[in-house]
Amino acid sequence: MEKKRLAVLVGCNYPNTPNELHGCINDVVAMRDVLVTRFGLDPSHIELLTDAHGSLIMPTGANIKRALHQMVDKAEPGDVLFFHYSGHGTRIPSLSHDHHSGKDEAIVPCDFNLITDVDFRQLENRIPRGAIFTIFSDSCHSGGLIDKEKEQIGPSSTTTTTGTTTLSGKPKTIPFETILQHLAASTRIDTLDVGTHLVHSFGDNASLRFRLPLHELNLFRRLKADAGILLSGCQANETSADMDPAQGGGKAYGAFSNAVQMVLRENPSPLSNREIVLLARKVLKAHRFQQHPCLYCNDENADATFLLQPGSKS
């Protein structure tokens, strides 16, 4: 039976807000074209969620999770699943005492209903053996976005670089304090606990991280600890750039998404997940971006072909 190739692509530009970005929708539209032309996806198997004017389905936390869970529900051994997110990321205080930074990672949907590393771990735990689920996150603090995933290329493999961005880029991050203020203005609850605000605002659609007791979270966090593949735009302590090259009429883009697009154009033959990340690092360094894409997955998937490109051996 021929394996299925399914994708969910999410671009959040947060238009007409103080957090507005410019290139995120362009990032996922460009990826959709590549998925069809290079990786053989049927356009009807790609769900695109953006906050562009007139979008019928907005990329809220609930809608993004619904799309991801529906994709995972369809998964069978051998299938290829892909999630590309371009938008803001943030860091939140960690519930776990063994987390070295004291912070956990999350993405910021258009309604601020955070999707956390715990939610992505839960999704990965549901993937049947033999299927692959690749998460591509062009957002700030995206390193480690799958809870408990093994680092292949990350902070420990970074060398010191110098120089600054040659173009003016906006960091794809919303500080935790800003998120807390935004939610508190809506709930009018006097607390610094972000989970209280999120559960009050979104109920059962809030992240598992804020709805489950800590002992239950720890139980499922230990399951299938290396099942997923994460390509992140930067390390957990770094920001990812959103570029708006207004001068010259160029298109806005996310620095990491654009770097991977360049790598794919220059290398038509299949590339491994490890090669994609290392080559993207070289592109970003050449353009003097101070962000370091990372790879989190098990040893086998590190050297497996990115999205099992048709015609590849892996």
Side-chain angles (χ1 to χ4, degrees), residues 66 111 135 226 230 243 246:
R66 173 200 52 77
D111 62 348
I135 295 175
D226 285 320
L230 169 66
M243 305 306 299

Side-chain angles (χ1 to χ4, degrees), residues 20-141:
E20 184 168 13
L21 298 173
H22 299 281
C24 300
I25 295 175
N26 289 341
D27 290 342
V28 294
V29 169
M31 181 60 79
R32 179 179 59 184
D33 294 340
V34 171
L35 292 176
V36 173
T37 59
R38 177 164 178 159
F39 295 98
L41 273 73
D42 183 327
S44 67
H45 291 168
I46 301 172
E47 183 163 4
L48 180 68
L49 299 177
T50 76
D51 55 3
H53 178 72
S55 286
L56 296 178
I57 304 177
M58 296 292 284
T60 62
N63 285 338
I64 294 171
K65 287 190 284 189
R66 173 200 52 77
L68 290 172
H69 281 284
Q70 286 180 349
M71 179 171 68
V72 171
D73 287 342
K74 299 173 185 174
E76 298 173 302
D79 288 351
V80 176
L81 311 182
F82 182 62
F83 173 52
H84 182 171
Y85 171 76
S86 185
H88 279 302
T90 194
R91 303 185 89 186
I92 52 181
S94 177
L95 297 174
S96 175
H97 296 297
D98 62 358
H99 204 295
H100 62 89
S101 70
K103 305 283 187 183
D104 287 332
E105 295 74 41
I107 63 172
V108 186
C110 66
D111 62 348
F112 279 52
N113 184 9
L114 303 181
I115 302 177
T116 70
D117 55 347
V118 170
D119 298 306
F120 289 114
R121 164 51 53 206
Q122 190 238 7
L123 276 167
E124 294 287 1
N125 286 349
R126 295 180 52 216
I127 302 299
R129 184 179 297 275
I132 64 164
F133 185 12
T134 302
I135 295 175
F136 183 110
S137 190
D138 192 347
S139 58
C140 291
H141 314 302

Side-chain angles (χ1 to χ4, degrees), residues 35-305:
L35 292 176
V36 173
T37 59
R38 177 164 178 159
F39 295 98
L41 273 73
D42 183 327
S44 67
H45 291 168
I46 301 172
E47 183 163 4
L48 180 68
L49 299 177
T50 76
D51 55 3
H53 178 72
S55 286
L56 296 178
I57 304 177
M58 296 292 284
T60 62
N63 285 338
I64 294 171
K65 287 190 284 189
R66 173 200 52 77
L68 290 172
H69 281 284
Q70 286 180 349
M71 179 171 68
V72 171
D73 287 342
K74 299 173 185 174
E76 298 173 302
D79 288 351
V80 176
L81 311 182
F82 182 62
F83 173 52
H84 182 171
Y85 171 76
S86 185
H88 279 302
T90 194
R91 303 185 89 186
I92 52 181
S94 177
L95 297 174
S96 175
H97 296 297
D98 62 358
H99 204 295
H100 62 89
S101 70
K103 305 283 187 183
D104 287 332
E105 295 74 41
I107 63 172
V108 186
C110 66
D111 62 348
F112 279 52
N113 184 9
L114 303 181
I115 302 177
T116 70
D117 55 347
V118 170
D119 298 306
F120 289 114
R121 164 51 53 206
Q122 190 238 7
L123 276 167
E124 294 287 1
N125 286 349
R126 295 180 52 216
I127 302 299
R129 184 179 297 275
I132 64 164
F133 185 12
T134 302
I135 295 175
F136 183 110
S137 190
D138 192 347
S139 58
C140 291
H141 314 302
S142 46
L145 194 56
I146 305 175
D147 191 42
K148 308 298 184 189
E149 201 61 73
K150 182 178 181 180
E151 176 191 309
Q152 297 286 345
I153 303 171
S156 63
S157 51
T158 297
T159 55
T160 302
T161 59
T162 58
T164 57
T165 303
T166 55
L167 300 171
S168 58
K170 181 174 182 176
K172 291 185 174 183
T173 185
I174 301 179
F176 173 71
E177 293 75 14
T178 301
I179 289 173
L180 199 59
Q181 290 169 6
H182 175 90
L183 294 169
S186 174
T187 64
R188 300 187 179 182
I189 299 173
D190 184 17
T191 178
L192 296 178
D193 177 49
V194 69
T196 299
H197 294 293
L198 287 165
V199 172
H200 183 273
S201 297
F202 302 107
D204 289 344
N205 286 320
S207 170
L208 287 171
R209 184 189 184 281
F210 307 114
R211 293 190 289 113
L212 292 182
L214 184 58
H215 69 277
E216 288 187 34
L217 286 175
N218 288 334
L219 282 176
F220 87 77
R221 276 174 162 173
R222 287 195 287 267
L223 299 176
K224 296 173 66 175
D226 285 320
I229 304 170
L230 169 66
L231 288 80
S232 68
C234 62
Q235 298 170 184
N237 64 337
E238 292 179 331
T239 60
S240 291
D242 177 68
M243 305 306 299
D244 184 19
Q247 295 179 349
K251 272 193 173 182
Y253 59 86
F256 177 51
S257 294
N258 186 64
V260 170
Q261 294 283 349
M262 292 175 64
V263 167
L264 291 173
R265 282 196 299 270
E266 294 167 4
N267 298 273
S269 298
L271 294 169
S272 70
N273 291 303
R274 187 189 305 277
E275 288 170 327
I276 289 275
V277 171
L278 290 175
L279 289 170
R281 280 191 170 206
K282 287 184 178 180
V283 170
L284 290 169
K285 183 178 180 181
H287 289 84
R288 303 183 72 179
F289 285 100
Q290 292 216 8
Q291 64 186 79
H292 301 85
C294 300
L295 175 64
Y296 293 81
C297 60
N298 63 27
D299 295 341
E300 180 182 0
N301 282 333
D303 294 308
T305 304

